[in-house]
Amino acid sequence: MERLQAERGDPARHVHFDAQVESVDRGSGTVTMVHPEMRSGDGSIVMPRMHMTFHVIAFSKLRGIAAGDQVHAVVGRHKGAIMITQIRKLR
């Protein structure tokens, strides 16, 4: 249920962005990319553009994602951390 709330929760608490994947670690459930400046509608997420490794809320989210892929990602706060709640390839 918590995962469902993280994915579908208040849209003002999430940030959508496009980025290129630099690396994926399926063992730890992380993806590394350079993200653009992020600012959620409610102000709970504010970050400058940077190189960052994100955890995903479920390892299955990384299925089909590889280094070099252009992706659309959605991040939100989950268990106190900024995590990817959705990710999909753009091409």
Side-chain angles (χ1 to χ4, degrees):
M1 184 64 163
E2 190 174 321
R3 184 178 305 142
L4 190 58
Q5 285 179 316
E7 289 182 39
R8 296 187 185 159
D10 181 357
R13 298 181 59 88
H14 290 82
V15 178
H16 295 249
F17 64 89
D18 296 340
Q20 183 169 350
V21 174
E22 293 182 355
S23 65
V24 176
D25 183 342
R26 285 173 179 64
S28 65
T30 60
V31 60
T32 302
M33 61 184 90
V34 175
H35 67 73
E37 180 178 327
M38 294 194 296
R39 183 174 304 275
S40 62
D42 71 351
S44 65
I45 299 173
V46 178
M47 299 176 79
R49 179 183 185 277
M50 70 174 78
H51 178 268
M52 186 169 176
T53 301
F54 292 94
H55 284 274
V56 293
I57 62 168
F59 287 17
S60 63
K61 300 284 183 190
L62 296 177
R63 220 173 271 136
I65 304 294
D69 287 345
Q70 289 289 329
V71 297
H72 178 78
V74 180
V75 297
R77 288 212 179 265
H78 182 69
K79 295 184 179 180
I82 297 172
M83 299 177 77
I84 291 179
T85 61
Q86 298 176 35
I87 187 169
R88 67 175 169 81
K89 279 199 224 188
L90 290 176
R91 300 185 219 164

